[in-house]
Amino acid sequence: MGALVTLDLPDDSPMLGLPWIITFGPLDDADEWEPVVCGPYERPHALALAESVVAEEQLMAVVEPLVPALSPDEIRGEIAAARIAASDEAARIEASDLYGDFDDVVDEELEAAGEPAGPRPAPAEAELRAGFARIAKLLTEQGS
């Protein structure tokens, strides 16, 4: 079984409505190959596809939003926000107890999230195509 990494977002996050991509890569340093990027998908489809693949193979899948920017200034704004978030996270980690009750927190988060026992079933091709159409509409309407 591989690993799946994604953002933990609140239910009202505007990022949930963005297109999402999946980057598949080696799980450890022993494998050397170029990562494979797939998408864009709607978030539930991206998560289900990634879970289906990593459930059967020793891979890492990173599921992340694709931020459609319309200008260099928007891109710079996203970069600035990412840098601020990274420094905030680094400060939070530095201030935390490295040897705290990490396992207890993980168990509580999984229970609260109602994590399914196994990977979600991969969406059917028709579901993915319908998602592509919704993403195309979203991207063409952005900034209008």
Side-chain angles (χ1 to χ4, degrees):
M1 178 172 212
L4 175 79
V5 178
T6 192
L7 298 173
D8 184 21
L9 299 170
D11 292 339
D12 62 347
S13 173
M15 294 182 85
L16 293 173
L18 293 174
W20 288 67
I21 59 171
I22 312 167
T23 304
F24 293 100
L27 190 57
D28 57 38
D29 294 333
D31 281 339
E32 286 191 34
W33 46 275
E34 291 296 317
V36 175
V37 179
C38 302
Y41 304 103
E42 293 175 310
R43 187 173 192 264
H45 291 163
L47 290 171
L49 286 169
E51 286 177 357
S52 294
V53 172
V54 300
E56 299 175 10
E57 297 192 45
Q58 289 292 316
L59 302 171
M60 173 167 294
V62 178
V63 178
E64 57 192 337
L66 178 64
V67 181
L70 298 175
S71 72
D73 287 338
E74 283 186 54
I75 295 169
R76 287 184 193 100
E78 291 297 329
I79 292 169
R83 286 178 173 157
I84 290 168
S87 67
D88 289 349
E89 179 71 8
R92 188 186 67 75
I93 290 170
E94 190 173 309
S96 69
D97 178 10
L98 289 178
Y99 302 104
D101 294 330
F102 179 74
D103 290 334
D104 294 340
V105 172
V106 170
D107 291 340
E108 290 170 9
E109 288 177 354
L110 291 175
E111 287 174 15
E115 288 293 316
R120 291 175 251 199
E125 183 178 332
E127 290 177 275
L128 292 173
R129 290 188 183 282
F132 294 157
R134 289 187 294 270
I135 290 168
K137 183 178 178 190
L138 172 75
L139 292 174
T140 57
E141 290 176 351
Q142 182 185 359
S144 298

